[in-house]
Amino acid sequence: MDLHLVTYFVAVVDHGGITKAAQALYISQPSLSQAIRTLERRLGTTLFDRSGRRLELTEDGRRLDVAARRILADVDRAKATVAAVRELESGRVDVVTYSAFSLDPLVDLISRFRLRYPGILVNVVDAEGPAAVHTALRRGAAEVGVTDLSVEYPGMVTIPLAEQELALAMHRDIATELPNPLPRERIRDVPLIVDLSDTASSMRVGSLVGDGAPNVVVDCAHPMAASELMLRGTGAIFTSSRIPQGRSADVALLTFEPPLRRPIGLLLRSGEPSPAAAAFVTTSTAGPLEV
């Protein structure tokens, strides 16, 4: 059933006849009469009793009147929902990342976005490294990725955000004999807790500690577990130089000489993003990140 025929039918009911309804709809009376006859023909029933001076609904007409008003109300609600999403008053954006960026810069990016668009839900999708971020975007599980841009992502659009300076966080007992900043070659003297499923980090660590990474003591993809192990003195973790590690009296944060940095940015599928995803990109690139 054409929506305009439903609209015409309700207008005739509300105005009590063809003439006034046609005037309200800004169409000719013959056109409206033909539209009502078309509706009756498609439904295979008579909707109006035309025997009197005023059109009266038949029993089938009354049933359609209830259904028609429900249809028009649903359409109005759908239009309002679409408009709200386009105006970013409601909706959702799915952002995928992995443990290396779950705090920095993700917290800053989401905070920026939520300040500007409080009605939009941000759904954070967890991935196991850059390859999984790529896969999630290709499969449509997320629209925006936050990831290490030193990795290749075929077919994707990359948007650089910043260079993140890395540091080593460790229990102060491990740091006692180490200088700060730490010369890169001295990383081999430090027991490390790393996420080897993060291919970019794995390659970076491998280049710093040599073949086989003999001083990697724990392979851990869970940042909370890695932090707890670090606090208990098991080893050191690579982290953003600006992330407070908690229990600061027990934690030493050592930067590197020369500085160790990685490029971070956004990853998107090619094509037009949703309004919410486009807004996330806009707020993320609106100013420099403190990384």
Side-chain angles (χ1 to χ4, degrees):
M1 187 189 306
D2 292 341
L3 188 60
H4 77 279
L5 294 180
V6 176
T7 303
Y8 289 174
F9 169 77
V10 171
V12 172
V13 175
D14 288 344
H15 289 87
I18 298 292
T19 302
K20 290 183 178 179
Q23 292 172 350
L25 294 168
Y26 298 101
I27 62 175
S28 67
Q29 183 175 333
S31 295
L32 182 54
S33 297
Q34 181 59 46
I36 296 301
R37 286 194 293 271
T38 298
L39 179 59
E40 290 179 321
R41 186 171 62 253
R42 291 183 181 179
L43 295 175
T45 189
T46 300
L47 300 173
F48 293 99
D49 181 353
R50 297 172 173 81
S51 60
R53 298 183 61 182
R54 178 184 173 91
L55 293 182
E56 298 290 343
L57 286 171
T58 63
E59 186 62 31
D60 286 342
R62 283 190 288 273
R63 293 194 186 97
L64 178 62
D65 186 38
V66 174
R69 293 180 191 279
R70 185 181 302 120
I71 290 170
L72 294 179
D74 288 343
V75 170
D76 286 341
R77 282 192 291 271
K79 288 180 178 178
T81 299
V82 171
V85 170
R86 291 197 173 277
E87 294 167 8
L88 298 173
E89 295 174 356
S90 66
R92 162 175 154 168
V93 59
D94 296 305
V95 180
V96 60
T97 192
Y98 54 103
S99 60
F101 303 107
S102 59
L103 293 177
D104 179 34
L106 187 64
V107 170
D108 189 22
L109 297 179
I110 292 176
S111 296
R112 287 186 183 194
F113 181 78
R114 289 285 303 159
L115 283 173
R116 178 66 181 82
Y117 302 105
I120 304 293
L121 169 68
V122 181
N123 177 46
V124 179
V125 179
D126 185 36
E128 295 183 356
V133 170
H134 191 194
T135 299
L137 292 170
R138 283 193 299 103
R139 293 179 176 175
E143 276 200 276
V144 184
V146 179
T147 191
D148 187 333
L149 293 189
S150 63
V151 179
E152 294 292 328
Y153 301 98
M156 294 288 164
V157 176
T158 57
I159 303 174
L161 292 180
E163 291 255 321
Q164 184 186 66
E165 183 174 357
L166 295 175
L168 274 182
M170 65 192 75
H171 194 278
R172 61 183 178 180
D173 292 343
I174 298 177
T176 302
E177 303 296 328
L178 297 173
N180 191 13
L182 183 72
R184 290 192 185 185
E185 61 270 16
R186 294 291 304 275
I187 295 177
R188 302 184 183 198
D189 301 330
V190 182
L192 299 177
I193 302 167
V194 298
D195 176 11
L196 294 179
S197 67
D198 177 351
T199 53
S201 294
S202 182
M203 291 174 59
R204 190 175 290 111
V205 169
S207 68
L208 294 172
V209 302
D211 294 340
N215 58 322
V216 174
V217 296
V218 179
D219 174 11
C220 181
H222 303 284
M224 291 185 65
S227 294
E228 188 62 30
L229 288 168
M230 179 271 294
L231 290 167
R232 296 189 182 194
T234 304
I237 60 174
F238 285 92
T239 184
S240 167
S241 61
R242 74 187 190 105
I243 294 178
Q245 294 300 319
R247 306 184 198 176
S248 57
D250 294 330
V251 175
L253 196 66
L254 275 60
T255 57
F256 298 102
E257 181 58 46
L260 182 61
R261 297 186 174 94
R262 60 184 170 194
I264 58 175
L266 304 181
L267 197 66
L268 297 94
R269 294 188 301 273
S270 59
E272 188 73 20
S274 72
F280 190 88
V281 172
T282 298
T283 57
S284 297
T285 56
L289 294 176
E290 295 180 5
V291 295

